[in-house]
């Protein structure tokens, strides 16, 4: 059935819900949201603790960054509950359709954190807050209302327990939004169809340039009165407002800055319920989504269904660990790795495409919100392993994007019928190559290869033309020239792998040659990757610890110089051989990064760093595994266990950096299982040190792959030996095929490194 | 075939094209446009001589009023050619997709009239200008370009003859528009699909609150370069612009304020052609409209087809007159009475409805732009007579509007999926009643009656609630309380007529009672209609010559007091009997309206007035015919001929007031034929004095009705006798049935009144 998670083979499921804690990462830099959603659901119904403007008095408002997911654990007030949220991003958007139940005198202004009584927001306490997969509950102290939220795939279900009141309100703030730039709201339309049904849409211009979300909301009891205010600085044609009083009980509304209220009279402990359905296409589709997904008013039933979906999702890997904390870290990681991308189509398969036309997804589920610079690394390989059919649908969605693109490009960072082209590289090609290499190809592989080639040869995008001509992106042309050169080279390697598998050797030759371009930005005189100018010379002013203005993005030269996942042997050789390389790696983890340089490292807390190794950002996610290419693989084991231990915690501040749409979490899942896909597009998972005791991977093909770590403990982080199906494993990696056949890998753990 | 005019029975057609002069009314107050269109076409491709802002420095810019149709004959420059125009309105909108061909250095600013060289606009001369039905031509002096325009129903066809130039440009100004308020542009999207095809849409907020028009444009030769500028004060997310240079050859554009250019190299006298298709639904539909309607590059073929449609339209009434000027006045009136409403659906029947959803017109052609306060009087009766099937489709379109309306109201003044509720009354009901009474009912008459009742009982609209309770609209509630009371009463009468015919006597009783409400605003102490307050008293300060603040709209008490078309006998009696009434009527035509009062009379020139009779506005359009209810019908004959003579002329300044979407022209057509529908909803056409010599009305039922005026001359304006099919006609009116049966009415004309 479209949009529902695939339920694995019937087997006794454990109740893993208690281990998945949506609250983890909601404090500081995690940028996760605590609210309710189903796996990969289109609706993320979650509390927002503030709705700041991106600009304040004409200047960038730094604090807006905190609210990428709408919620900061430290905040004392909740503004309301909105229906769309990214999980773990470092720039943001969404926050559509903020709902707030209130009592007492009507207030249509959100008020301030300092003076919550000045608006509709409410003080709340974490003691009165519960966040579970698919369920969120909080007491709104200022209004004496208990708010409960759950969802289906496309419908948010609100349940508000009011006190006795003649002045009970539900506010619909259509001005509110995450990263709410001035003029972000382009247009809003609302129709009060009858006394229980409201429809409309909201069109925004933000990180997604042209985005429209349609809605249908319905109440469990008729509204007694309702009204609207238009807060636009200017209303163009005033005649509309002369003919009717449009502020009260007027059902046909439109404007740039609207806030609405719906009034009720409530008895003590009366539950007023509301269903709020979304559609990317039309209010008609939103109504159909609502009727199909939640045709009743039984909140508990919807909550139980949501949690059943989550339990099925979490049961795909069943583990045993030595501590409750590790159980929570693991299943919270699985939870966070099942939030994005999100389903982006209606029950009838319709969605708005990149060309702003309505399309129908034929034979696949369409997804959106691809943070590919982050997720190509471990998240998509994780899907390829544990739910390849979903990953194939994601690739089909990318191909639909490509087909609709007038630029003829695969997505870079795309959401809701737009691409914001954020970050470096063209990593759709990596996601696709990884699927092709691993045999997950229920689509026309040659066609997707053509799309990859078209994207990788888009000359006027981010220095690609110069990269093709010179073998590197000149720094004058592009402020992140080294990152781009390195990431393009890796992506090119992944295209080459795919081409080879498909027998298109001409393409292979072209791209395998390009994949060596990383060499062109290596400065042997200093032993680091370094920005190069058009004339071939290296940029003079250069600091290997700085991030800003050094040709990199979210990483300094110390981290980024290690970014040659496609050819570690070559890199090690160029960097002076294994010995010298080990000492470079060691220093990365042990040196001290002075505060002045840390300040430039975006998206992470001080705890998101180990030495100068920045785990809170992505470029170094493969780095701990690089010891495997040296004579000291035990250092991989040690470092991985250290990162697992120090970078992931229980509690709201449990993530040292942005979760980045599941990438940080996917790193956790792989690494705690003992292996990691260093170079997606290869079929190899390189071994580290499992932190679990046992794990059963329930594969989509019906087979089970088991990981066992014997003699496991917090001290026994070193791997003494590894066997696959009880035969010694000679390599330092296992292959995708070996896993997919089912079986068992056994790690003999030890307190001593195997030097 | 959807959207094409019905071709009348094959018969020898005269070439009437030379008599229809689109230039008439383009100077001063006519507000007509000179450009190319087909009958009731969706595209009106016409030159705009200025694009002013509705506001200037925060104040209403009076001059914008001149540009309701985009063109003022006196202006020395043309800014460009845009694709949508109202004809003859007194408020405005549209002006979508302004195109301007230029040569020389690229200029993306329109420049000023005073200094045309400062921008892309061009000086032109009327000597080099031709305006015919379906064809417009002008030489653009500044650029040495000959511009020619023609259209099909949904596609504009441009043909530009360039000089030899390495710098030939076609500008697409997406900021331009008629009544271009600040922030009128809500959003614009453009895709350069390939080097000859561009698609996109423009979304505006103006007189139509939420309006989107989609387009597809294609060139006859590939563009060599193209580019775009975004003139928005603020672009929200600048990252988009960092990734690509979006100013040049970048195909994926969106923003609030865009202007684009397309470059060519041209040889001497090279014709660059362009087809520009519109759709209310999608760019896909726009492309389909283009392919279906103009699948070639033969400009002359499209022009010939457009003029063939026009000739068929004009041949519906074939007349003989004593002067060339009268021929031109008559056929120009027929031309102007075939411009609006406009077809509002794609070739596949799809259109965007009032609910902002895509609908499909099943079994009818959907129309938009209903200026009903104007057009219910003579224009819709004219359609009912000469092309009832189109009028029935217009009613079906009104019913679709009603079905989509969350307010459950028929249109007031609606265009493009919105209602601006402009002017007084709910005259959809009159249009519907007129069709029902005249037997033009290919729809569910009871359902439309229900819609009429729902509209007429919308208590919170414009004082209807008070009107229903008190029998009049109290002046404190509503600044045009008398106009509203009088027009509601007439509309109610028309509902009553329809109800009676349908046998719904309860409805009849209710509304026939309401139809007498005009009596409640008559002040016998002064003999005029007068604003009344809630307490029953009349407004103290009152001036029968003033218009502003006196309870009327576009008419003073002297004119509006005669507005009881449904019951002239009752009105005359209340006003003191026939003798006194004649003297009131006489004085209306002969008194002098001082300048101070004229200044308040909107929409007309000084010539639009005869005495205090304001022909340039609509409320008195039936007034000259009221002598028929007295003992001096010869004064109707005299006045009608005087109005025909003095209010309609050849030449650009030929109309003394706004043509008002064909109403002024329909008055001309009826009156010059010798009869007029004083009260639509009745089957009677009251006799005046024909100005033609003979006229043949080619009716849709295949019959021909002939009008003959024997002994006709400019002096013989009085009717000596009238015979119908050679039998003396006793009544002062003929009925709809008498006309529809075919036959002949003969007026014996005389220089002496039959006293």
């Amino acid at each position: 059935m479209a949009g529902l998670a695939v339920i694995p083979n019937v087997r006794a499921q454990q109740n893993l819900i208690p281990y998945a804690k949506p609250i983890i990462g909601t404090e500081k830099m995690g940028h996760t949201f605590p609210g309710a959603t189903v796996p990969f659901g289109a609706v993320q119904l979650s509390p927002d603790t503030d709705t700041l403007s991106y600009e304040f008095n004409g200047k960038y408002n730094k604090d807006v960054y905190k609210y990428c997911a709408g919620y900061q654990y430290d905040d004392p007030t909740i503004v309301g509950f909105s229906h769309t949220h990214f999980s773990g991003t470092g720039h943001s958007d969404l926050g559509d359709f903020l709902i707030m139940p209130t009592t007492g005198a009507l207030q249509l202004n959100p008020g301030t954190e300092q003076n919550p009584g000045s608006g509709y927001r409410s003080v709340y306490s974490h003691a009165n807050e519960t966040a579970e997969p698919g369920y969120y509950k909080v007491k709104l102290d200022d209004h004496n209302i208990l708010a409960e939220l759950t969802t289906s795939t496309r419908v948010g279900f609100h349940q508000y327990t009011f006190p006795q009141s003649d002045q009970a309100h539900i506010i619909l703030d259509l001005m509110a939004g995450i990263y709410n730039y001035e003029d972000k709201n382009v247009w809003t339309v609302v129709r009060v169809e009858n006394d229980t049904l409201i429809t409309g849409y909201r069109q925004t211009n933000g990180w997604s340039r042209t985005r429209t979300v349609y809605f249908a909301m319905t109440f469990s009891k008729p509204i007694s009165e309702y009204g609207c205010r238009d807060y636009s600085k200017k209303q163009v044609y005033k005649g509309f407002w002369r003919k009717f009083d449009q502020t009260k009980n007027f059902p046909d509304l439109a404007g740039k800055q609207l806030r609405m209220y719906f009034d009720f009279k409530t008895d003590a402990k009366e539950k007023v319920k509301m269903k709020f359905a979304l559609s990317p296409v039309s209010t008609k589709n939103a109504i159909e989504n609502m009727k199909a997904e939640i045709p009743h008013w039984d909140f508990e039933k919807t909550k139980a269904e949501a949690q059943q979906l989550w339990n099925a999702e979490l049961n795909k890997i069943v583990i045993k660990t030595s501590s409750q904390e590790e159980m929570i870290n693991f299943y919270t990681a699985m939870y966070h790795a099942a939030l994005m991308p999100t389903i982006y189509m209606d029950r009838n398969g319709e969605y708005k495409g990149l060309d702003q036309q309505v399309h129908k997804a034929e034979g696949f589920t369409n997804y959106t919100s691809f943070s590919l610079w982050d997720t190509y690394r471990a998240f998509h390989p994780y899907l390829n392993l544990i739910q390849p059919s979903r990953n194939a649908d994601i690739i089909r969605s990318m191909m639909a994007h490509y087909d609709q693109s007038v630029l003829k490009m695969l997505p870079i960072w795309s959401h809701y019928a737009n691409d914001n082209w954020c970050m470096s590289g063209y990593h759709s090609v990596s996601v696709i190559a990884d699927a092709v290499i691993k045999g997950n190809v229920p689509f026309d592989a040659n066609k997707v290869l053509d799309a990859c080639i078209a994207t990788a040869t888009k000359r006027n995008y981010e220095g690609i033309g110069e990269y093709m001509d010179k073998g590197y992106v000149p720094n004058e042309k592009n402020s992140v020239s080294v990152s781009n050169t390195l990431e393009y080279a890796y992506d090119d390697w992944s295209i080459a792998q795919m081409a080879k598998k498909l027998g298109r050797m001409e393409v292979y030759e072209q791209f395998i040659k390009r994949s060596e371009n990383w060499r062109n930005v290596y400065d042997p005189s200093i032993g680091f990757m370094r920005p190069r100018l058009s004339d071939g010379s290296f940029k003079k002013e250069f600091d290997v610890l700085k991030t800003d203005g050094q040709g990199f993005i979210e990483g300094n030269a110390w981290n980024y110089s290690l970014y040659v996942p496609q050819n570690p042997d070559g890199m090690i050789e160029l960097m002076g051989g294994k010995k010298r390389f080990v000492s470079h790696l060691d220093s990365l983890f042990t040196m001290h990064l002075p505060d002045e340089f840390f300040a430039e490292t975006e998206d992470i807390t001080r705890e998101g760093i180990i030495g100068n190794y920045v785990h809170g950002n992505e470029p170094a996610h493969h780095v701990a595994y690089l010891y495997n290419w040296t004579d000291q693989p035990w250092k991989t084991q040690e470092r991985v266990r250290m990162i697992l231990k120090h970078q992931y915690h229980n509690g709201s501040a449990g993530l040292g950096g942005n979760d980045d749409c599941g990438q940080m979490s996917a790193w956790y899942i792989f690494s705690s299982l003992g292996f990691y896909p260093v170079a997606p597009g290869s079929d190899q998972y390189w071994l580290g040190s499992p932190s679990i005791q046992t794990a059963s991977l329930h594969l989509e093909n019906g087979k089970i792959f088991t990981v066992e770590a014997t003699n496991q403990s917090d001290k026994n982080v070193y791997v003494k030996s590894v066997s696959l199906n009880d035969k010694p494993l000679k390599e330092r990696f296992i292959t995708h095929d070996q896993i997919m056949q089912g079986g068992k890998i056994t790690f003999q753990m030890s307190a001593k490194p195997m030097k």
Side-chain angles (χ1 to χ4, degrees), chain A:
Chain A
M1 216 170 7
L4 287 182
V6 176
I7 310 283
N9 297 340
V10 178
R11 59 188 159 89
Q13 285 189 350
Q14 296 190 31
N15 179 17
L16 299 171
I17 296 285
Y19 300 112
K21 302 285 190 193
I23 208 73
I24 290 178
T26 60
E27 194 177 339
K28 296 182 183 165
M29 289 294 183
H31 291 187
T32 54
F33 62 83
T37 187
V38 297
F40 306 95
V43 168
Q44 306 85 30
L45 177 52
S46 188
D48 295 322
T49 57
D50 235 314
T51 54
L52 297 180
S53 175
Y54 182 73
E55 283 190 356
F56 188 68
N57 289 339
K59 287 185 185 162
Y60 171 65
N61 181 0
K62 273 193 170 178
D63 283 345
V64 74
Y65 178 79
K66 291 166 64 181
Y67 297 98
C68 283
Y71 182 96
Q72 271 292 343
Y73 191 82
D74 285 343
D75 284 348
T77 63
I78 283 175
V79 180
F81 309 102
S82 70
H83 292 80
T84 53
H85 294 84
F86 288 140
S87 179
T89 56
H91 193 286
S92 204
D93 203 341
L94 315 186
D96 300 290
F97 310 119
L98 184 102
I99 293 286
M100 185 67 176
T102 69
T103 53
L106 178 67
Q107 287 179 306
L108 279 176
N109 191 294
T112 60
E113 183 181 298
Q114 290 71 32
N115 183 11
S118 64
Y120 59 69
R121 75 171 68 204
S122 173
V123 167
Y124 76 111
S125 148
H126 294 302
N128 296 326
E129 186 186 34
T130 302
E132 296 173 9
Y135 178 64
Y136 178 85
K137 175 170 76 169
V138 72
K139 175 82 182 301
L140 300 168
D141 294 332
D142 289 353
H143 306 298
N144 193 20
I145 292 169
L146 180 70
E148 292 174 278
L149 313 173
T150 187
T151 78
S152 63
T153 299
R154 298 167 183 84
V155 188
F157 198 148
H158 305 238
Q159 177 167 275
Y160 298 121
T161 306
F162 279 87
Q164 191 282 321
S165 177
D166 289 344
Q167 290 183 292
H169 318 283
I170 289 180
I171 310 294
L172 167 61
D173 189 336
L174 294 148
M175 294 168 65
I178 292 173
Y179 266 58
N180 217 13
Y181 308 72
E182 193 190 331
D183 282 337
K184 178 171 175 174
N185 280 354
V186 171
W187 201 244
T188 315
V189 166
V190 180
R191 273 166 72 101
V192 183
E193 307 274 358
N194 56 49
D195 62 4
T196 56
L197 178 66
I198 296 95
T199 61
Y201 63 83
R202 176 170 180 258
Q203 183 182 348
T204 56
N205 164 32
W207 209 25
S208 173
R209 195 175 56 178
T210 304
R211 190 173 81 95
T212 308
V213 187
Y214 298 82
F215 75 89
M217 63 188 273
T218 185
F219 295 108
S220 59
K221 87 183 244 180
I223 45 185
S224 58
E225 303 269 337
Y226 66 96
C228 184
R229 300 283 182 282
D230 188 339
Y231 291 82
S232 308
K233 281 183 198 150
K234 208 176 225 170
Q235 286 143 28
V236 167
Y237 175 64
K238 299 205 173 53
F240 299 137
W241 298 80
R242 278 200 302 264
K243 291 285 176 164
F244 284 106
D245 174 5
Q246 300 196 21
T247 61
K248 203 166 174 191
N249 298 328
F250 186 75
D252 190 9
L253 299 152
K256 267 176 81 81
Q257 304 284 6
L258 303 184
R259 289 192 180 119
M260 296 196 67
Y261 64 91
F262 303 92
D263 289 349
F264 303 88
K265 287 192 173 56
T266 50
D267 296 330
K269 297 198 176 169
E270 180 174 348
K271 286 180 168 57
V272 176
K273 303 178 196 182
M274 194 176 89
K275 292 182 281 197
F276 201 109
L278 302 187
S279 161
V281 168
S282 67
T283 59
K284 190 164 154 274
N285 280 7
I287 291 171
E288 282 170 18
N289 291 340
M290 178 153 43
K291 287 183 177 165
E293 293 189 353
I294 313 184
H296 57 75
W297 284 107
D298 187 342
F299 183 89
E300 292 303 324
K301 180 171 150 72
T302 301
K303 176 187 167 188
E305 286 168 356
Q307 297 203 325
Q308 193 183 339
L309 286 173
W310 275 116
N311 217 24
E313 190 68 27
L314 301 175
N315 269 274
K316 285 172 182 164
I317 306 178
V318 179
I319 64 165
K320 261 177 69 182
T321 63
S322 34
S323 80
Q324 168 92 352
E325 183 175 7
E326 282 177 342
M327 284 293 279
I328 290 173
N329 283 344
F330 189 89
Y331 285 108
T332 299
M334 280 195 74
Y335 173 81
H336 281 145
L339 297 176
M340 292 178 69
T342 54
I343 288 170
Y344 179 66
M345 66 176 208
D346 291 317
R347 297 283 298 188
N348 63 9
E350 290 180 352
Y351 66 98
K352 197 169 280 181
L354 188 67
D355 55 3
Q356 303 298 321
Q357 309 270 359
V358 175
H359 295 268
K360 192 160 187 171
E362 302 283 1
F364 70 103
T365 298
N366 192 55
Y367 289 85
T368 194
S369 299
F370 300 132
S371 182
L372 290 159
W373 180 83
D374 299 299
T375 57
Y376 83 91
R377 300 167 199 264
F379 172 76
H380 288 284
Y382 163 69
L383 291 189
N384 254 340
L385 186 64
I386 210 72
Q387 38 186 332
S389 59
R390 195 185 301 274
N391 207 46
D393 276 359
I394 287 170
I395 290 170
R396 287 190 184 97
S397 307
M398 289 176 178
M399 280 303 292
H401 173 113
Y402 174 80
D403 287 338
Q404 294 149 10
S405 160
V406 72
L407 291 162
K408 285 296 156 217
M409 285 179 76
L410 287 159
I412 303 291
W413 205 131
S414 69
H415 67 289
Y416 289 74
N418 288 264
D419 204 322
N420 59 54
W421 301 304
C422 198
M423 303 306 291
S424 176
Y426 31 81
H427 297 297
S428 285
V429 310
S430 160
V431 175
I432 290 168
D434 196 53
V436 170
I437 293 300
K438 291 171 181 168
N440 181 22
V441 201
F443 45 76
D444 182 341
N446 273 296
K447 197 179 163 214
V448 299
L449 176 57
D450 291 340
C452 291
I453 297 167
T455 306
T457 53
K458 192 78 199 166
R459 293 187 62 93
N460 62 335
Y461 180 74
E462 280 272 273
I464 289 180
E466 290 85 356
Y467 170 82
M468 289 170 69
D469 295 340
K470 289 183 182 290
Y472 63 94
V473 179
N475 200 57
E476 308 98 303
K477 296 281 177 186
N478 191 278
S479 64
V480 297
S481 62
V482 188
S483 290
N484 277 342
T485 302
L486 295 175
E487 309 225 23
Y488 293 167
Y490 158 72
D491 284 334
D492 291 344
W493 171 84
S494 76
I495 293 174
Q497 302 312 303
M498 190 178 0
K500 191 161 80 176
K501 181 156 184 185
L502 297 174
R504 290 171 65 176
M505 294 313 290
E506 214 170 298
V507 177
Y508 171 77
E509 295 298 342
Q510 179 191 353
F511 281 90
I512 203 69
K513 185 162 168 252
R514 283 171 52 150
S515 79
E516 290 292 300
N517 280 341
W518 59 272
R519 296 177 188 272
N520 300 330
V521 287
Y522 181 75
D523 180 0
S525 75
I526 58 167
F528 285 92
M529 304 291 178
R530 182 170 183 173
R532 207 159 166 191
L533 306 178
S534 292
D535 65 6
S537 69
F538 286 102
K539 181 175 184 289
K540 287 215 177 65
E541 305 72 26
F542 183 59
D543 188 321
V544 295
L545 289 177
K546 268 182 80 66
T547 295
D548 284 0
Q550 306 302 303
F552 300 102
I553 185 164
E554 292 197 10
N556 56 20
W558 214 285
N559 282 274
Y560 240 120
S561 292
L562 302 168
Y563 188 82
V564 190
Q566 71 274 31
N567 189 358
D569 286 332
M571 172 182 70
I572 290 166
E573 192 191 333
L574 196 67
M575 288 179 81
K578 291 183 181 177
K579 198 169 161 194
R580 192 163 155 190
F581 183 74
V582 165
S583 105
H584 179 108
L585 273 189
D586 285 349
S587 64
L588 179 72
F589 286 98
T590 54
M591 70 191 293
H592 176 70
L593 183 67
D595 283 346
E596 58 179 301
F597 300 116
F598 165 71
E600 292 178 356
T601 309
E602 296 178 69
D603 296 351
I604 54 169
T605 60
R606 189 79 226 193
E607 294 73 36
I609 289 192
I610 298 171
N612 182 14
Y613 168 80
V614 182
H615 190 71
N617 283 331
E618 273 70 12
H621 271 193
H622 65 298
V623 162
Y625 288 90
L626 291 179
Y627 286 106
N628 272 320
W629 277 263
T630 73
D631 303 326
Q632 304 184 30
W634 56 271
K635 283 189 176 164
T636 285
Q637 298 150 25
E638 186 181 279
R639 301 295 182 212
V640 165
R641 291 294 284 266
M642 180 172 68
I643 298 167
L644 286 168
K645 196 89 188 161
H646 290 287
Q647 295 292 310
Y648 300 84
H649 300 283
N650 289 183
S652 52
L655 295 175
N658 302 161
D659 189 59
D660 283 320
C661 310
Q663 166 57 25
M664 286 282 280
S665 291
W667 191 97
Y668 186 93
I669 298 165
F670 272 121
S671 293
S672 64
L673 293 174
F675 51 89
Y676 187 84
V678 169
S682 142
D683 67 344
Q684 301 167 351
Y685 301 91
W686 287 74
L687 302 182
S689 168
S691 62
I692 48 92
Q693 291 183 325
T694 65
S696 302
L697 281 62
H698 295 268
L699 306 173
E700 246 180 44
N701 62 11
K703 301 198 171 157
I704 295 173
F705 184 75
T706 303
V707 181
E708 252 184 35
T710 60
N711 199 32
Q712 174 70 284
S713 82
D714 271 5
K715 285 182 183 163
N716 298 352
V717 301
Y718 300 105
V719 177
K720 198 169 158 187
S721 67
V722 185
S723 63
L724 182 66
N725 299 324
D726 300 325
K727 288 176 195 157
L729 186 70
K730 286 175 205 156
E731 286 78 21
R732 292 177 186 170
F733 59 82
I734 50 171
T735 68
H736 188 72
D737 266 359
Q738 289 170 337
I739 297 176
M740 296 313 276
Q741 286 164 25
K744 186 173 73 174
I745 188 168
T746 310
F747 294 81
Q748 279 284 345
M749 306 306 292
S750 159
K752 285 187 194 159
M754 298 290 110
K755 295 191 181 176

